[in-house]
Amino acid sequence: MGIKILQQSKSQKQKAKAYILFAKAADMGNLKAVEKMADALLFGNFGMQNITAAIQLYESLAKEGSCKAQNALGFLSSYGIGMEYNQAKALLYYTFGSAGGSMMSQMILGYRYLSGINVLQNCEVALNHYKKVADYIADKLEKSEGIPVEKVRLTERPENLSSNSEILDWDVYQYYKFLAERGDVQIQKALYYFLKAAKAGSANAMAFIGKMYLEGNDAAPQNNVTAFKYFSMAANKGNAIGLHGLGLLYFHGKGVPVNYAEALKYFQKAAEKGWPNAQFQLGFMYYSGSGVWKDYKLAFKYFYLASQSGQPLAIYYLAEMYATGTGVLRSCRTAVEKRLKLLKKRRCIQWHFSYGIELPFKDIHTARRLYDMAAQTSPDAHIPVLLALMKLETVHLLQDTLFFNQFIIRWKWIKLDNTLGPYWDLFGIGLIVAVLIFLLRNHYG
């Protein structure tokens, strides 16, 4: 119940209600609830941030075998946040976390072995860790059948649906699919919009309606017959998504008997139009020998074509081919690179943690430590680190100033990041130059 409220919450009051439920469940000994409370204390989501209390909860959870707690303790140990800075201990926590099934621990260990951080550099061990995460993601993708997550522009010309020249884009469908997964009532509006566009002759809308019925949601309950109808309407207009949809129905035998020959035909037509999902499906048929003779060269060709558009499963299978030397010369390094590309495409939070791109919470002391580490790593980082620290200390000073705290609620637009965006460093340099010019003029004037 608490997780559902938290996922659907749009206000602080609703989030507070969710955490009250977590607290009650934690008092009753529910380990998942205790994990949520530990996270809340660490990130400052529930009342005041209390890292010491969070660590105590994580340590008790670790004794119960919580891989999430093991990973959190590994992270805190590796940066010396609230506990002793100890890389050996961090490695131990990450190892236990990965053994317990933590995808984040797998990612971090993969990166450490790939780069030789506190361990002997070993590409094969890194590859094995990344494989477990990639397998997990690929399994979820294969079950969803929706697959593409990157924006893909259709190769056909936009259709003139009305006087406003509406252009249906893949992102529109993906957005409404997201709403459907959240149980949002706007999915009803999406179906109405697509039906109206389909009536106006939009092949894209016909294909999207087919996908809605194929996948099923509150507005369009799963119905293979209706999906086949709309996919056929779109395919008759030469629409790549409609052709691919028919291929899926014949490949999986949904609403029609399994027919690999028909599936191959439709996948080929859609692939010729540049649709990456169809290219992937062709690669998979040749890779697995589904209805065709196994041909790893053709499989590699189609996987590669699909991967160029960011098709995640195509990237996954390319990594598998390089890892096992199937149809290509085996290369551990290339396999790792492909798996990292897949994980980056899926925007895994682990990617950010393991590469130090961002921290899970804003903590000025941790930020200072990481900036110092960056400066020690390379002389070239000294100037950027200096500017970053200047920004950090300025914001920290403003936040600690009583006057600023009194007026921050009234003037919510006063946010350095939102106001200056990515150009804060240029602003800082400009300000320094202006001050220097002013001082020099006063000195020689």
Side-chain angles (χ1 to χ4, degrees), residues 134-150 244 248 252 276-277 279-281 283-284 287 299 302-304 306-321 338 341-343 345-346:
D135 287 347
Y136 172 77
I137 293 172
D139 183 59
K140 291 186 71 173
L141 284 170
E142 287 174 335
K143 287 177 180 176
S144 73
E145 290 186 359
I147 296 169
V149 291
E150 299 300 312
H244 172 254
L248 283 177
H252 295 289
N277 288 350
Q279 292 166 345
F280 161 73
Q281 290 293 345
F284 181 76
Y287 181 82
Y302 287 114
F303 284 151
Y304 179 79
S307 72
Q308 296 306 293
S309 298
Q311 216 288 344
L313 280 176
I315 298 169
Y316 170 80
Y317 279 99
L318 279 179
E320 285 295 293
M321 294 182 81
K338 296 294 181 185
K341 185 178 179 182
L342 167 65
L343 301 176
K345 287 288 179 185
R346 297 304 299 171

Side-chain angles (χ1 to χ4, degrees), residues 286-341:
Y286 285 112
Y287 181 82
S288 61
S290 302
V292 294
W293 292 105
K294 282 187 179 182
D295 189 326
Y296 293 128
K297 287 186 178 179
L298 280 176
F300 182 87
K301 169 190 171 182
Y302 287 114
F303 284 151
Y304 179 79
L305 285 173
S307 72
Q308 296 306 293
S309 298
Q311 216 288 344
L313 280 176
I315 298 169
Y316 170 80
Y317 279 99
L318 279 179
E320 285 295 293
M321 294 182 81
Y322 276 112
T324 58
T326 304
V328 292
L329 185 65
R330 187 182 187 279
S331 171
C332 177
R333 196 79 191 185
T334 305
V336 168
E337 288 171 1
K338 296 294 181 185
R339 282 180 179 154
L340 287 176
K341 185 178 179 182

Side-chain angles (χ1 to χ4, degrees), residues 19 32 60 68 95 109 113 118 136 162 166 260 278 375 444:
Y19 280 110
K32 293 292 181 184
S60 65
K68 188 172 183 180
T95 303
L109 286 175
Y113 278 102
N118 298 114
Y136 172 77
S162 67
E166 299 169 283
Y260 290 128
Y444 292 106

Side-chain angles (χ1 to χ4, degrees), residues 57-221:
L57 286 180
Y58 283 133
E59 287 176 341
S60 65
L61 284 165
K63 292 176 182 177
E64 298 292 332
S66 168
C67 62
K68 188 172 183 180
Q70 298 279 6
N71 182 77
L73 290 170
F75 174 77
L76 296 171
S77 296
S78 65
Y79 287 104
I81 302 171
M83 56 197 306
E84 183 187 0
Y85 175 78
N86 191 323
Q87 288 294 341
K89 206 170 185 178
L91 183 63
L92 186 64
Y93 280 128
Y94 286 141
T95 303
F96 280 122
S98 66
S102 168
M103 294 297 106
M104 189 181 294
S105 292
Q106 296 284 5
M107 276 291 296
I108 293 171
L109 286 175
Y111 180 67
R112 287 191 169 215
Y113 278 102
L114 182 65
S115 305
I117 300 174
N118 298 114
V119 292
L120 289 175
Q121 192 171 20
N122 191 321
C123 181
E124 297 297 335
V125 176
L127 183 63
N128 184 53
H129 283 295
Y130 285 132
K131 175 176 169 55
K132 292 174 183 177
V133 186
D135 287 347
Y136 172 77
I137 293 172
D139 183 59
K140 291 186 71 173
L141 284 170
E142 287 174 335
K143 287 177 180 176
S144 73
E145 290 186 359
I147 296 169
V149 291
E150 299 300 312
K151 181 173 179 177
V152 181
R153 184 68 61 183
L154 298 179
T155 54
E156 63 183 14
R157 292 177 179 273
E159 300 157 310
N160 187 12
L161 306 180
S162 67
S163 58
N164 295 324
S165 300
E166 299 169 283
I167 300 174
L168 284 174
D169 191 27
W170 181 253
D171 283 349
V172 176
Y173 171 75
Q174 289 292 76
Y175 170 68
Y176 284 116
K177 183 182 176 184
F178 168 74
L179 292 179
E181 290 170 350
R182 286 176 58 92
D184 199 300
V185 293
Q186 290 191 60
I187 192 65
Q188 296 281 351
K189 295 181 182 179
L191 182 61
Y192 170 78
Y193 173 73
F194 288 141
L195 285 169
K196 187 176 180 181
K199 192 174 181 180
S202 166
N204 286 345
M206 296 169 189
F208 291 154
I209 294 169
K211 284 191 68 62
M212 289 178 76
Y213 278 104
L214 176 63
E215 293 161 359
N217 55 62
D218 291 339

Side-chain angles (χ1 to χ4, degrees), residues 1-9 18 21-22 32-33 36:
M1 176 64 78
I3 293 175
K4 188 175 182 181
I5 293 174
L6 189 62
Q7 288 174 339
Q8 296 179 348
S9 62
L21 291 174
F22 286 139
K32 293 292 181 184
K36 281 288 182 184

